[in-house]
C-alpha cells in the first residue's frame, strides 16, 4: 500500500512539474536603447540563453508599443515550426518589405530587421519567447521569457543641430578675430598719425629756431 502511494505521489509530482511554466532567460541586444538615423537599417537581436528541454521548440513574437502605458501590438511571429507570420498593419505588403524575422545560432538568436527606419518606428520593442513541447500528445508551454528595448530614431534635422551650432560658433569666432585685427590696424594707424604729427611739430619748431638764429 505504501509503495502504491509513493508511486502515485511521484507520478503526480512529475505531471505537475511538467505543467508548470518556468521562466526563460531572454535578452534583447542592443539594450536598453538602440539608436539609428532615419532611413538607416537596424537589427534587434533576441537571445535565448538556454532551453529547458533539448527536445522542445521555440515560438518567438515581436511586439511594438509607442509607450509603456499603451497596448502592445503584435508585429511578427515565428512559430515552433519556423514559419513567419505577420499581424495587423504589418501584414500589409508595404510594411512586410521593411520587416524581417530571422533565426540563427541553432534557434537561440532571433533577429528582427527593420529596413529604411522611419520616425514612426520609434518606440518599445518587446520580444516574447515561449518554449513548447509535447506532453501526453499535446503541445505544452514549458517556459516563457520576455525582454524589451527602446528604439530611438534620429531625424536629419536633429542630427544636424550640433553641426549648425558648431558652424555658427566658428563664424562668430571668425568675426571676433576680424574685429581684433581691425582694432589693431586702427590703433597702429592712430599711432602713425600721432607720430607724423609730432614729427611735423618738431620740424616746424626747428625751422622757427633756425630762422631766428639766421636773423641774429
Amino acid at each position: 500500500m505504501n509503495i502504491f502511494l509513493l508511486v502515485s505521489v511521484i507520478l503526480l509530482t512529475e505531471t505537475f512539474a511538467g505543467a508548470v511554466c518556468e521562466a526563460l532567460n531572454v535578452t534583447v541586444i542592443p539594450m536598453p536603447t538602440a539608436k539609428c538615423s532615419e532611413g538607416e537599417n537596424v537589427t534587434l537581436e533576441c537571445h535565448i540563453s538556454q532551453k529547458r528541454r533539448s527536445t522542445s521548440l521555440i515560438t518567438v513574437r515581436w511586439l511594438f508599443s509607442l509607450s509603456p502605458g499603451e497596448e502592445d501590438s503584435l508585429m511578427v511571429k515565428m512559430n515552433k515550426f519556423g514559419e513567419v507570420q505577420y499581424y495587423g498593419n504589418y501584414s500589409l505588403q508595404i510594411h512586410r518589405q521593411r520587416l524581417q524575422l530571422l533565426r540563427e545560432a541553432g534557434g537561440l538568436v532571433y533577429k528582427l530587421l527593420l529596413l529604411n527606419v522611419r520616425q514612426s518606428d520609434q518606440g518599445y520593442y518587446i520580444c516574447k519567447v515561449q518554449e513548447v513541447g509535447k506532453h501526453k500528445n499535446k503541445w505544452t508551454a514549458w517556459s516563457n521569457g520576455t525582454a524589451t528595448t527602446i528604439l530611438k530614431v534620429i531625424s536629419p534635422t536633429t542630427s544636424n543641430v550640433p553641426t549648425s551650432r558648431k558652424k555658427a560658433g566658428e563664424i562668430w569666432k571668425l568675426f571676433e578675430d576680424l574685429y581684433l585685427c581691425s582694432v589693431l590696424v586702427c590703433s597702429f594707424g592712430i599711432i602713425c598719425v600721432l607720430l607724423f604729427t609730432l614729427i611735423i611739430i618738431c620740424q616746424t619748431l626747428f625751422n622757427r629756431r633756425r630762422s631766428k638764429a639766421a636773423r641774429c
Side-chain angles (χ1 to χ4, degrees):
M1 184 69 177
N2 291 335
I3 296 176
F4 176 75
L5 288 174
L6 181 60
V7 172
S8 300
V9 169
I10 293 173
L11 291 175
L12 288 173
T13 303
E14 290 180 351
T15 302
F16 179 75
V20 172
C21 191
E22 301 177 359
L24 191 65
N25 190 9
V26 178
T27 307
V28 175
I29 299 176
M31 188 178 183
T33 304
K35 295 181 180 180
C36 72
S37 298
E38 193 171 354
E40 293 182 347
N41 303 332
V42 65
T43 301
L44 306 178
E45 299 183 1
C46 186
H47 289 249
I48 305 168
S49 60
Q50 186 178 359
K51 295 194 297 184
R52 300 295 178 183
R53 300 169 184 261
S54 58
T55 57
S56 62
L57 301 176
I58 296 293
T59 298
V60 175
R61 296 175 177 86
W62 277 98
L63 299 92
F64 173 76
S65 176
L66 288 174
S67 62
E70 291 195 8
E71 185 179 357
D72 301 335
S73 300
L74 180 58
M75 304 171 62
V76 61
K77 167 187 172 183
M78 182 177 287
N79 62 23
K80 53 185 175 288
F81 302 115
E83 299 170 345
V84 178
Q85 301 169 336
Y86 296 86
Y87 294 85
N89 292 332
Y90 301 97
S91 61
L92 302 175
Q93 187 65 23
I94 189 173
H95 294 297
R96 291 181 60 175
Q97 293 176 349
R98 300 193 310 111
L99 192 66
Q100 298 179 18
L101 179 56
L102 306 175
R103 179 172 59 186
E104 296 182 359
L108 295 180
V109 177
Y110 293 82
K111 292 185 176 181
L112 179 68
L113 274 65
L114 292 172
L115 307 178
N116 190 21
V117 173
R118 304 169 181 173
Q119 194 66 37
S120 58
D121 294 325
Q122 179 169 288
Y124 291 75
Y125 287 79
I126 305 101
C127 178
K128 289 190 176 183
V129 180
Q130 189 176 58
E131 182 181 0
V132 297
K134 275 200 171 182
H135 179 70
K136 292 184 178 181
N137 295 325
K138 291 183 179 180
W139 289 103
T140 304
W142 301 125
S143 56
N144 289 311
T146 302
T148 304
T149 190
I150 305 171
L151 177 62
K152 293 186 176 181
V153 181
I154 304 172
S155 62
T157 54
T158 305
S159 59
N160 289 336
V161 168
T163 305
S164 301
R165 289 180 179 176
K166 185 177 180 180
K167 289 182 177 179
E170 292 175 353
I171 293 173
W172 178 250
K173 186 177 180 181
L174 178 62
F175 277 119
E176 288 180 343
D177 294 338
L178 290 174
Y179 176 77
L180 181 60
C181 291
S182 301
V183 171
L184 291 175
V185 170
C186 291
S187 300
F188 180 76
I190 292 171
I191 292 173
C192 290
V193 171
L194 291 175
L195 288 175
F196 181 76
T197 304
L198 183 61
I199 292 171
I200 295 298
I201 293 173
C202 291
Q203 186 68 31
T204 303
L205 293 175
F206 177 77
N207 290 334
R208 286 181 179 179
R209 288 181 181 180
R210 190 174 180 181
S211 299
K212 288 181 179 180
R215 289 175 183 177
C216 294

